Amino acid sequence: MKTETANKDWSIYIWMFTVPLFWGGAFGAAQHVITEVPPITAAAFRFGTAGLILFVFTLLRGEWQVAEMKKHWLGLLLMSVTGVFAYNALFFIGLSYTSAINGSLIMAISPVLITLGAVLFLKESWNKKLGIGLLLSLSGVFLVIVKGSWEAMTSLSFNAGDLLFLSALLCWALYGLIGKVVMKGVSPLLTTASTTMAGAFFLIVWSFTAGGWDRVPHMSGQAWGEMAYMTIFATILAFFLWNQGIHRLGASKASIYMNLVPINACWIAVLFYGSSMTWVQCIGIVLVIAGVCMVTLGSGRKATDRRAEQIVGRG
C-alpha cells in the first residue's frame, strides 16, 4: 500500500513535465493561427471547444457538483476571469505585437510572482532567496524586453506586446494563488471544467464584437491542426494537470515547471516556425530560470521534508 501511495505521489511530478511542453508549443501555434483568425475569436474557439469537452467528461465521471460550485462560486469566477478570460485575451492579442519567444520568457517569471503572492497573502515565509530570485528574474525579463538596446533602455520604449504579456503574467499569478485556495474544497477536474466554461463564455461574448467567425471554417489545414493541439493538449490536458499540481504540490512547487515553458517555446518556435533567438534572449533565459529556480527550489525543500515526515509518521 505504501509503495502504491509513493508511486501515486511521484506520478504527478512526471506528468507535470508535460505541462510546459504543451504550453511551450502553444506560443508558436497561436502566433500562426491568429494570422488567419482574429486573436479573440481564436481564443474563444479554443476555450469554448475545450469547455464543452471538459463538461461532458466531468459529467460522465460524476464530478459535476453544482452544490460545490455554488459554495465556491466567487473563487471559481475569479479564476475564470483571471486565468482563462483575461490571461488568454492578453496572450492572443500580445502575440500580434511580439514574438512567441519573448512572450514565453516574460511568462517564465510567474513562479516568482506566485511565490511572492503566497508570502504576502497566504502567510508563507519570506527569505533571502526569494528576494534575490525575484531580482534576477525581473532583470532577465527586462533584458528580453529591451533586447540589449541602450537606446531602448534610455527611452523606455517598450513593445506593446511585451506590456500585454506583463499584464497576462499578473493574471496568471492571481489564477494560481486563487486556485490554491479554491481547490481546498473543489476537485481539480471540476475546477478546470467550470473555470474553462465560464472563461470561454466571456471570450465568446467579446469575440462577437471582434468578428472573424466566418473565417474559422476556411482556416488552413495547418491552422486546424494547431487549433486542435491547443484545445486538447495546451488547454484540456495542461490546465487539468496544472490544477492537479497546484492541488497536490502547492502553488510555489507546481510553478517551478513554468521554468521550462520558455525553453520549449524557443526550440519549437525556432524549429517549426522559423523564429530566431539572439544572444540577449539566451542571457535572459539564464537570468529568469536562475531566479525562479532559486526561489522555488528553496521554498520547495521544506515542503518536501514535511511530506516525508508525514509519510514516515503514517508508517
Side-chain angles (χ1 to χ4, degrees):
M1 181 65 69
K2 291 180 182 179
T3 301
E4 291 178 0
T5 302
N7 289 336
K8 186 176 181 181
D9 290 337
W10 275 105
S11 67
I12 187 61
Y13 290 92
I14 297 172
W15 280 111
M16 284 294 287
F17 274 106
T18 65
V19 175
L21 177 62
F22 295 154
W23 280 340
F27 282 86
Q31 193 159 47
H32 176 259
V33 168
I34 61 176
T35 62
E36 301 187 22
V37 177
I40 295 301
T41 304
F45 185 87
R46 169 187 171 182
F47 281 88
T49 305
L52 288 175
I53 295 173
L54 281 166
F55 169 69
V56 172
F57 184 71
T58 308
L59 202 62
L60 291 175
R61 286 181 58 88
E63 291 192 39
W64 189 261
Q65 303 295 328
V66 177
E68 290 299 322
M69 289 189 290
K70 286 182 177 180
K71 186 177 180 181
H72 301 277
W73 70 270
L74 181 58
L76 291 170
L77 178 61
L78 290 174
M79 289 183 71
S80 302
V81 172
T82 56
V84 180
F85 172 62
Y87 169 74
N88 284 282
L90 293 165
F91 172 91
F92 276 89
I93 296 174
L95 286 174
S96 300
Y97 299 97
T98 193
S99 70
I101 292 176
N102 267 33
S104 65
L105 283 168
I106 292 170
M107 290 307 302
I109 200 177
S110 62
V112 175
L113 285 189
I114 290 174
T115 303
L116 182 61
V119 169
L120 295 175
F121 303 110
L122 301 180
K123 308 301 182 182
E124 293 189 5
S125 61
W126 172 271
N127 56 65
K128 187 182 296 184
K129 285 185 177 181
L130 179 60
I132 297 173
L134 181 61
L135 180 61
L136 280 174
S137 296
L138 287 173
S139 300
V141 170
F142 182 75
L143 187 60
V144 169
I145 292 174
V146 301
K147 299 180 176 67
S149 169
W150 176 254
E151 183 180 351
M153 291 181 189
T154 55
S155 65
L156 292 178
S157 177
F158 295 103
N159 182 298
D162 295 331
L163 295 177
L164 288 172
F165 267 102
L166 285 172
S167 300
L169 171 66
L170 177 60
C171 290
W172 185 254
L174 289 172
Y175 176 76
L177 292 171
I178 297 169
K180 183 177 181 180
V181 176
V182 169
M183 283 183 285
K184 290 179 180 179
V186 184
S187 74
L189 178 58
L190 180 56
T191 299
T192 307
S194 58
T195 55
T196 300
M197 290 184 67
F201 171 78
F202 296 126
L203 287 169
I204 290 170
V205 171
W206 187 2
S207 72
F208 286 131
T209 65
W213 282 100
D214 57 317
R215 302 185 203 172
V216 173
H218 305 291
M219 289 193 302
S220 65
Q222 179 182 342
W224 275 112
E226 290 163 336
M227 185 64 79
Y229 168 82
M230 289 192 293
T231 300
I232 297 171
F233 295 99
T235 305
I236 296 174
L237 292 177
F239 272 76
F240 170 66
L241 290 171
W242 170 259
N243 284 329
Q244 277 279 13
I246 292 287
H247 176 64
R248 292 171 60 178
L249 305 178
S252 296
K253 201 167 185 181
S255 67
I256 191 174
Y257 292 88
M258 289 292 289
N259 300 345
L260 299 174
V261 171
I263 296 175
N264 289 322
C266 285
W267 72 258
I268 290 172
V270 171
L271 186 62
F272 294 105
Y273 297 98
S275 297
S276 60
M277 186 166 57
T278 67
W279 67 269
V280 174
Q281 289 172 320
C282 290
I283 294 175
I285 289 176
V286 173
L287 288 175
V288 171
I289 293 180
V292 293
C293 282
M294 179 174 291
V295 171
T296 49
L297 287 177
S299 61
R301 188 174 294 111
K302 292 182 180 179
T304 302
D305 292 341
R306 287 196 299 268
R307 179 68 174 167
E309 291 173 359
Q310 291 173 357
I311 294 174
V312 171
R314 292 198 299 265

